[in-house]
Amino acid sequence: MLPQIFTIADLHARYAEGSLTPLALVDEVLQRIAASTDKAVWISRVSDAALRDAARALMKAGSPSANQPLWGIPFAVKDNIDCAGLDTTAACPSFAYRPQEDAAVVARLRAAGALLIGKTNLDQFATGLNGTRSPYGAPRSVFDSRYISGGSSSGSAVSVAAGQVCFSLGTDTAGSGRVPASFNNLIGIKPTKGLLPAHGVVPACRSLDCVTVFAATTRDADQVRRIAQGDDVRDPYARTAPQRPLPVSGFRFAVLPAAQREFYGDNEAALLYTESIERLKGLGGVAVDFDYTPFREAASLLYSGGFVAERLEPLREFIHGRAAEMDATVYRIISGASRFTAADLFADMTTLTALRRKTDAAWTQFDLMLLPTSPTTYRVDEMQADPVQLNSRLGLYTNFVNLLDCCAVAVPAGFRKNGLPFGVSLIAPAFADDALAVLAERLHRSGAFGLGIDRDATILESTMSIPVHSDDRIVIAVVGAHLTGMPLNHELTGPGGTLVRKARTTKNYRFYVLPNTTPKKPGLIYAPDAEGPGIELELWSLPAAAFGQFVARIPSPLGIGKLKLEDGTEASGFLCEAYAVVGAQEITELGGWRAYLANAAAK
């Protein structure tokens, strides 16, 4: 029997043991959709017969493989993203068209073996954060049908949280890939702008739009993101760049000071935010209060000035005379953008540039942010009675992210007493997606809040790890005087080095105190027959140019070689020539340089 919420690893394990087939899974998915009381989740679906045919085709072709890592995995797509054979409506029936090809991201996922189930509901033209602005109905929070599901990617989030699909695609301009995750106990990955190409996506704000991923676990969402990402010449805003590393231990994370924490009276949400801060500190982070003011001012530009005109640009011809065919709030927002001039936009661009100088300065004080994803939530009737003001509150901590070119991951962070979930977001500068996902996964596991609607589900241990290098940075393992707080650590921090994580070698190393060195240094020797405790070390990421200069200064008898780590990986790091340790004091049994210094100081 399948669990209430299924993951990629779980489905592939069942496929491998023969207890499940894609065809049987399709039947289960169809039964779950039919049994659901929330009929506003889906706008259109692949026909039952076509789904079964697709499942049979997968079974005939093979099984999960490196070429098809999503083989037999069911997914949903927000209905502002093209899928060949299904109408794209953007939740506006008179706008609907039938695309001849998949959007770039959908094509990549299908090529990886994923099974498209259908198109999901959204706030019309992706304009809103609440999920009630659609003629196809308002999807509800899976925990209480009186409450909003969050938008604009409402149906995409609910389809995953309810256990109807394994993952889904959404879009995010102001928070639409994060707020619905928060309201449904999910992971929501909002990648760096342009990392996932938007070819085949109906624009909301073309220069800010991001394709996003919802899943029950960070591991699943990140795997999908990696498969879907990559350049596409058909998207003028698509881009690629080397990934930016983040430290795993000793990382500094920004938190809202008490005076700037706004939860609109939701005291339980405020408490859950505080608890999330403590959990991230427990994972090795250092909390840093920061001034949210310039970020909040940047966020306000998205809807209150010239930037909103970008929502009008792709729909100028369509909306003329269409007020009766559109959601009233969406029509007012988009048509109202016509009052702004090019001069207004340029003035706001100047304001944003000035704010970016302030926010760039703030980023020098921390590596990432931990913010509430949304300060509170509302009932559907409350939102419909006050659709603009309450919607704007939902984006208090999300609207700035794309304007200031950040990536983000929304992470479940607990439940209120009434059973409604709360979420936080980890936010970092552009192209820190790989590293941010690892920290998000660890934060998620630390809370044990279940998966989607299943609060009792266990989040399995993950093999996710922060990459040890990128195209323009190289990681080096240090074991002695270059460790954090040691005399030569400045040789790493000075040229822009960052701590990636702590680690330990395998047992096959011997460790010595080198004589006649200033400052005192150790020597690490590879000894295949050794049975030691392993030697503690730190992995530091250096810019490639700085790495070359650093290595050139290393004095004999030290050098750089490959170290074997106890987690099965390798890293370039300090090794010593064997002649230099003849007669030297061996300290292998202490397991590291810090332990040696502490032991020597105690004598």
Side-chain angles (χ1 to χ4, degrees), residues 103-456:
V105 288
V106 174
R108 291 170 183 177
L109 297 172
R110 294 176 106 170
L115 273 168
L116 174 65
I117 303 300
K119 310 289 290 294
T120 49
N121 205 352
L122 65 150
D123 279 328
Q124 192 174 77
F125 293 114
T127 302
L129 287 174
N130 61 83
T132 69
R133 300 173 177 176
S134 171
Y136 297 99
R140 311 301 176 101
S141 166
V142 295
F143 295 96
D144 189 329
S145 62
R146 296 173 299 170
Y147 282 82
I148 59 175
S149 61
S152 60
S153 309
S154 53
S156 289
V158 174
S159 67
V160 177
Q164 297 174 2
V165 293
C166 194
F167 71 89
S168 65
L169 296 183
T171 61
D172 186 306
T173 303
S176 297
R178 292 162 280 158
V179 171
S182 176
F183 291 174
N184 291 281
N185 198 36
L186 294 177
I187 295 292
I189 286 185
K190 190 224 74 72
T192 296
K193 286 189 302 180
L195 191 63
L196 273 63
H199 171 72
V201 178
V202 177
C205 294
R206 200 184 304 266
S207 67
L208 300 176
D209 295 341
C210 298
V211 177
T212 66
V213 184
F214 296 101
T217 70
T218 315
R219 181 180 180 181
D220 281 5
D222 191 57
Q223 182 179 359
V224 172
R225 187 266 300 175
R226 289 170 184 264
I227 292 169
Q229 72 185 26
D231 195 20
D232 189 317
V233 296
R234 298 169 296 180
D235 175 13
Y237 289 101
R239 57 184 182 153
T240 59
Q243 281 287 314
R244 171 194 182 108
L246 293 173
V248 176
S249 180
F251 55 87
R252 302 161 300 166
F253 65 98
V255 299
L256 295 166
Q260 295 185 4
R261 296 184 187 183
E262 176 61 83
F263 292 92
Y264 301 105
D266 192 339
N267 295 329
E268 290 186 72
L271 177 61
L272 290 169
Y273 177 57
T274 300
E275 291 176 356
S276 296
I277 293 171
E278 294 305 310
R279 285 202 311 279
L280 196 55
K281 287 164 65 175
L283 295 171
V286 178
V288 178
D289 280 3
F290 81 117
D291 183 9
Y292 185 59
T293 303
F295 295 90
R296 184 169 184 166
E297 291 176 353
S300 69
L301 293 172
L302 193 59
Y303 285 103
S304 64
F307 283 100
V308 76
E310 192 170 18
R311 289 190 180 269
L312 177 62
E313 180 267 324
L315 297 172
R316 278 181 294 184
E317 296 182 6
F318 172 76
I319 69 170
H320 183 69
R322 303 267 189 166
E325 301 172 21
M326 292 178 62
D327 176 88
T329 303
V330 172
Y331 181 80
R332 284 198 303 272
I333 292 170
I334 296 177
S335 63
S338 60
R339 72 183 185 274
F340 295 106
T341 67
D344 294 327
L345 175 59
F346 276 102
D348 286 344
M349 290 171 63
T350 299
T351 300
L352 181 62
T353 301
L355 289 170
R356 188 175 287 120
R357 290 176 67 91
K358 295 180 181 180
T359 60
D360 286 348
W363 277 111
T364 65
Q365 305 302 312
F366 44 83
D367 302 298
L368 64 150
M369 292 179 178
L370 177 69
L371 297 181
T373 299
S374 185
T376 188
T377 187
Y378 296 101
R379 298 191 311 272
V380 171
D381 62 334
E382 292 174 318
M383 182 60 62
Q384 291 173 335
D386 192 0
V388 175
Q389 181 178 343
L390 298 192
N391 186 86
S392 68
R393 291 179 178 181
L394 302 181
L396 178 62
Y397 302 119
T398 60
N399 286 359
F400 75 89
V401 173
N402 286 339
L403 281 169
L404 295 178
D405 201 12
C406 300
C407 57
V409 182
V411 183
F415 289 85
R416 301 168 178 85
K417 292 178 182 177
N418 63 5
L420 292 175
F422 173 77
V424 294
S425 288
L426 297 182
I427 303 166
F431 297 106
D433 307 79
D434 290 359
L436 197 65
V438 176
L439 292 172
E441 190 269 345
R442 293 176 182 176
L443 180 61
H444 190 198
R445 279 197 289 117
S446 74
F449 302 124
L451 305 173
I453 196 172
D454 188 354
R455 293 182 57 172
D456 297 322

Side-chain angles (χ1 to χ4, degrees), residues 8 10 27 34-35 70 82 149 168 175 197 241 245 381 443 459 472 494 535 546 595:
I8 294 172
D10 180 56
D27 287 337
L70 298 178
D82 287 348
S149 61
S168 65
D381 62 334
L443 180 61
I459 305 172
D472 68 341
I535 305 304

Side-chain angles (χ1 to χ4, degrees), residues 429-568:
F431 297 106
D433 307 79
D434 290 359
L436 197 65
V438 176
L439 292 172
E441 190 269 345
R442 293 176 182 176
L443 180 61
H444 190 198
R445 279 197 289 117
S446 74
F449 302 124
L451 305 173
I453 196 172
D454 188 354
R455 293 182 57 172
D456 297 322
T458 300
I459 305 172
L460 300 178
E461 291 290 328
S462 173
T463 56
M464 291 178 66
S465 61
I466 289 182
V468 297
H469 66 83
S470 62
D471 292 343
D472 68 341
R473 297 182 73 94
I474 301 174
V475 164
I476 185 170
V478 298
V479 294
H482 289 92
L483 293 167
T484 300
M486 297 293 173
L488 298 183
N489 184 246
H490 65 90
E491 294 184 358
L492 297 174
T493 59
T498 57
L499 177 65
V500 176
R501 62 185 173 98
K502 295 179 180 179
R504 183 175 292 274
T505 70
T506 62
K507 62 184 179 181
N508 312 113
Y509 289 87
R510 295 189 182 280
F511 206 39
Y512 299 85
V513 180
L514 294 179
N516 305 316
T517 55
T518 305
K520 189 173 289 187
K521 300 181 184 71
L524 184 67
I525 301 290
Y526 179 61
D529 298 330
E531 292 287 338
I535 305 304
E536 184 184 60
L537 55 82
E538 290 179 352
L539 297 173
W540 281 77
S541 170
L542 283 171
F547 177 86
Q549 296 169 357
F550 179 82
V551 171
R553 294 194 300 267
I554 296 173
S556 177
L558 300 175
I560 298 295
K562 287 294 185 183
L563 304 186
K564 300 178 183 296
L565 307 185
E566 67 177 357
D567 63 4

